[in-house]
Amino acid sequence: TIEFTGALHATVVKQVRLKNPSSKTLRYNAILVGRDADDFSLPKGNTVTIAPKRQTSINVEFTSRFLHPAEAVLLLISKSVGGIDGATLTFSLKSEVKHIEPADILKCKSPCYEL
């Protein structure tokens, strides 16, 4: 589970590190699914390539629009490269709004009651 914690309307970025222990290149197609998948994004695109014996990180961004916790799933589905397939990877994405900062403060005067 990857947890995104921040203020309302703030953008939180988390990194997912992927390692390739094999001697062949691995390629994944990343998909965000679930109730609140639209609130999450992959700014560097949906394709991830990992060179042999290397590691890479993908960024997942979340921008909160509501106070309720958001949930989605990050699916990494292997694409065959030279007949080599990696395992399908899944990550649960959850958010929590910890505080609210006002966007603006307005002062106004008006009579509370007129007879």
Side-chain angles (χ1 to χ4, degrees):
T1 299
I2 302 169
E3 295 182 7
F4 296 80
T5 304
L8 184 64
H9 301 296
T11 299
V12 179
V13 179
K14 293 285 185 163
Q15 284 190 333
V16 178
R17 183 175 296 151
L18 304 170
K19 293 182 181 181
N20 180 4
S22 75
S23 58
K24 303 283 184 179
T25 298
L26 292 177
R27 184 168 291 134
Y28 285 96
N29 188 27
I31 302 169
L32 293 163
V33 295
R35 180 186 74 192
D36 303 306
D38 291 341
D39 295 332
F40 295 88
S41 66
L42 302 165
K44 292 183 180 176
N46 292 357
T47 302
V48 180
T49 303
I50 311 167
K53 305 289 184 187
R54 300 277 182 186
Q55 63 184 12
T56 189
S57 295
I58 59 171
N59 291 340
V60 181
E61 287 185 358
F62 169 74
T63 302
S64 61
R65 298 183 300 146
F66 305 106
L67 288 174
H68 70 78
E71 294 181 4
V73 174
L74 171 62
L75 283 173
L76 293 166
I77 300 169
S78 177
K79 294 168 70 175
S80 183
V81 178
I84 301 298
D85 285 332
T88 298
L89 305 171
T90 60
F91 298 90
S92 175
L93 309 175
K94 296 185 185 228
S95 75
E96 185 179 0
V97 174
K98 286 288 190 179
H99 59 280
I100 303 170
E101 295 182 15
D104 199 2
I105 297 174
L106 301 174
K107 292 183 180 185
C108 55
K109 281 184 169 184
S110 71
C112 291
Y113 176 77
E114 287 187 28
L115 192 56

